[in-house]
Amino acid sequence: MTAAATDRATSSPTSRPAPTTKGPTVLRVVASEWSKLVSLRSTAWTAAVTVGLTWVTAYLSANASSGDPGFEPLSSLSQGLVLSQLSMLVLGVLAGTGDFRAGGFRTTFTAVPRRLPVLMAKVLVTTLVGGVVAVVSLAALVLGVLPAARSRDIPLDLTAQWTPQVLLGSGLLLLGMALLGLAVGSLVRRTVLAVTVALALVFVLPVGFVLAADLASPPQVGVSTETVVTELDPVSTVMELMPSNAAYRMTTTPDSAGPDGAPDLGPVGGGLVFAAWILLPLVAAGIRLRTRDLT
Amino acid sequence: MTFARVVAAEGTRLASVRSTGWTALATVAAAASVALGLGLFVQTGDGTSGTALVVSGAVVAQLGALVLGVLVGTADYTWGTATTTYTAVPRRLPVLAAQALVVVAAALVTAMLALAASILVTAAQRDTAGLPLALAEASSWRPLAGFAVYIVCVALLGLGAGSLLRHPAAALVSGIGLLLVLDSALAANPGRICDTVRSLLPGVGTRLLQDDAQVAATEAANLGPTLGVGGAALVLLGWVVVVLLAAAVRLRHSDVTMAARQ
């Protein structure tokens, strides 16, 4: 730099002193991951689709059951998330594979050689963005059942009975799906494979197991109605422990019984199983990041 | 640039990419393991037939077929070779037609292998449970042929979605959403409107996998229009045609150089 330029730099009244901490501090890593996630076009798309789908499915399912005499608008809250958890999952997967898609990971991990702070910052940032999308989706959920409730003149009391817990569970389901997608995406790193694995885990496998349950159930002829199924059926147990079913259990009330032949996890238990499903690929992704070559 | 050469080029591209082989292998393994798993739980006198057990892997195998189609459809855009391809073939549509031919061939081979693997893997269980395959009867052939047709159609749907949307994740999600998620979401709310919508979705193709007794049971539970196997095949083929036409229209009339990689 020439002497004139140096003079200009130090004598300008608006020049700031050089920062004292060097390198990738936690705040800087989080800030960079935030700008990366928010600038992805897919994040905005999947967030919009989640909110839109939640409203549409809540509206349709509330309208479909509004003809029943015992219509409870708040009981159709849990129906609204069936499709939108798909788009939250994809939001997470694309956030997790974002760095590896266009080769940006080389720059990222050159700047942050310890590597794990990047993964933790991704989790934090995805939680923030996923949390915002989940809250907006919950609003869309309630707004979706509102017209049907109004048409039957049923007042909506969101603080009544178990509704706050159901709403909390629904929000946690959406957030958890995004984090599960992030974990799978960070572990697998290739977009098509990660989306396939995530969708297979959450949607395709349970359908396959439902087929198994249908084929495996013994014929109902001659079974007395007083017999209660108390033994654990292996197929139903595995089904209940799958991520989608465990997450769904979070949105149910504690007094509702689970499916026959499966352990009754309750909402908290379901949440814990779901959290374990999220932590497993996340820890594996961290181990892969830390102990393996990146390219 | 004759059509035969375009087909040869697409065939070379498909065969030389490693992911094709892995996808086909995963599809065959998934179908066989689902059949094996279900075979472990099947009991005598259940009313299931041997063919129902063999084709039960279709629900999971369709994912692999969809991925196969999406990979072929988005290959040009993810690898950035769209400019080269369409400089060589300026009329553009022959490339899509060649991709469709190649996808049909690959999906057919995968479906045959998956069926063979399922038959082999469940042979012992079918013998002990007394579920004959009865290949001599025509009614047993229909679900097996339906399995192959369904897998091929799902792969073509994936090709159309991939070519139309040009982004693998979007194409995969649309395919899964259309085939599986929408269907199960509507199935949870039985009613005339929901069942009618369900009858118009490509997921009706699963009727191709069912034998006569199961089709009758499905139609009895269905409050929408009665489709039967022929109607279901028409709906599925209609979806394939519509999606491929949409992809053709987009290919013909839009720019291929600026497919974003986000």
Side-chain angles (χ1 to χ4, degrees):
Chain A
M1 287 176 67
T2 63
T6 325
D7 280 340
R8 240 181 285 132
T10 49
S11 62
S12 158
T14 55
S15 68
R16 290 194 300 198
T20 45
T21 40
K22 291 185 185 161
T25 60
V26 172
L27 269 179
R28 285 175 191 161
V29 177
V30 171
S32 110
E33 288 304 322
W34 171 265
S35 58
K36 268 197 264 180
L37 182 62
V38 167
S39 62
L40 268 186
R41 232 176 11 174
S42 57
T43 308
W45 266 112
T46 44
V49 165
T50 304
V51 175
L53 275 180
T54 312
W55 187 85
V56 166
T57 36
Y59 181 76
L60 287 178
S61 78
N63 260 23
S65 40
S66 65
D68 301 340
F71 173 52
E72 275 268 359
L74 295 173
S75 63
S76 40
L77 278 181
S78 50
Q79 298 288 322
L81 297 177
V82 175
L83 291 179
S84 39
Q85 48 180 346
L86 179 70
S87 53
M88 281 302 267
L89 190 66
V90 172
L91 188 153
V93 171
L94 293 180
T97 58
D99 256 344
F100 299 96
R101 244 178 287 147
F105 65 94
R106 295 190 182 94
T107 318
T108 307
F109 296 112
T110 309
V112 191
R114 280 169 56 216
R115 298 190 190 176
L116 285 182
V118 173
L119 185 61
M120 294 192 283
K122 272 203 218 285
V123 171
L124 182 65
V125 160
T126 309
T127 311
L128 285 171
V129 171
V132 168
V133 178
V135 167
V136 177
S137 303
L138 284 181
L141 194 61
V142 173
L143 284 176
V145 301
L146 204 58
R150 255 205 229 122
S151 73
R152 289 280 305 267
D153 286 324
I154 303 175
L156 269 190
D157 184 10
L158 291 179
T159 54
Q161 273 194 317
W162 292 111
T163 311
Q165 278 90 327
V166 170
L167 285 176
L168 179 67
S170 309
L172 286 177
L173 182 149
L174 288 177
L175 179 62
M177 282 294 170
L179 288 175
L180 180 63
L182 173 73
V184 170
S186 304
L187 177 62
V188 174
R189 297 181 184 173
R190 305 181 62 86
T191 321
V192 174
L193 188 59
V195 173
T196 311
V197 168
L199 289 178
L201 191 63
V202 176
F203 289 107
V204 181
L205 278 185
V207 176
F209 275 124
V210 165
L211 271 184
D214 281 342
L215 267 187
S217 55
Q220 295 297 314
V221 179
V223 173
S224 94
T225 47
E226 283 106 56
T227 51
V228 175
V229 178
T230 46
E231 321 77 56
L232 291 184
D233 169 23
V235 175
S236 303
T237 311
V238 173
M239 267 287 272
E240 189 66 8
L241 294 175
M242 289 264 105
S244 51
N245 290 54
Y248 178 71
R249 198 77 183 88
M250 268 198 306
T251 63
T252 56
T253 58
D255 51 359
S256 64
D260 285 336
D264 188 10
L265 292 174
V268 176
L272 287 176
V273 171
F274 190 41
W277 273 105
I278 298 173
L279 277 177
L280 203 64
L282 200 59
V283 167
I287 294 175
R288 185 181 179 189
L289 195 58
R290 188 81 184 154
T291 58
R292 293 273 176 272
D293 195 16
L294 273 175
T295 46
Chain B
M1 188 53 72
T2 63
F3 186 60
R5 286 180 190 162
V6 179
V7 174
E10 287 299 327
T12 310
R13 171 155 54 185
L14 185 65
S16 56
V17 174
R18 253 189 327 186
S19 51
T20 311
W22 281 113
T23 309
L25 190 65
T27 310
V28 171
S33 32
V34 169
L36 179 69
L38 290 186
L40 290 173
F41 289 107
V42 80
Q43 290 153 353
T44 330
D46 243 347
T48 55
S49 63
T51 45
L53 190 58
V54 165
V55 299
S56 56
V59 177
V60 181
Q62 65 181 332
L63 187 58
L66 192 67
V67 170
L68 188 70
V70 166
L71 282 178
V72 172
T74 55
D76 263 332
Y77 306 103
T78 49
W79 293 107
T81 55
T83 324
T84 315
T85 307
Y86 297 111
T87 309
V89 191
R91 280 168 57 215
R92 297 196 187 177
L93 292 183
V95 176
L96 186 61
Q99 283 173 340
L101 267 180
V102 158
V103 162
V104 166
L108 207 54
V109 168
T110 311
M112 298 296 184
L113 287 174
L115 273 178
S118 301
I119 292 176
L120 273 177
V121 139
T122 54
Q125 290 146 3
R126 275 181 291 113
D127 280 336
T128 45
L131 294 174
L133 202 49
L135 285 178
E137 290 174 32
S139 62
S140 302
W141 277 106
R142 214 209 39 231
L144 298 179
F147 180 92
V149 170
Y150 184 61
I151 293 290
V152 168
C153 287
V154 168
L156 282 175
L157 272 179
L159 171 68
S163 191
L164 180 64
L165 298 172
R166 297 183 183 178
H167 189 292
L172 262 181
V173 169
S174 325
I176 294 279
L178 215 56
L179 281 169
L180 268 183
V181 181
L182 211 52
D183 200 58
S184 358
L186 287 171
N189 292 324
R192 250 194 59 222
I193 303 179
C194 287
D195 279 354
T196 312
V197 175
R198 262 184 80 203
S199 310
L200 297 173
L201 290 178
V204 293
T206 46
R207 255 167 264 235
L208 289 168
L209 307 162
Q210 297 172 331
D211 55 23
D212 293 322
Q214 288 171 318
V215 171
T218 314
E219 294 298 345
N222 180 20
L223 297 170
T226 312
L227 279 180
V229 174
L234 276 178
V235 170
L236 185 59
L237 283 174
W239 271 97
V240 169
V241 166
V242 162
V243 173
L244 282 176
L245 265 179
V249 165
R250 185 173 185 194
L251 187 60
R252 189 84 181 147
H253 294 285
S254 74
D255 192 25
V256 288
T257 54
M258 295 297 287
R261 288 203 54 189
Q262 282 208 356

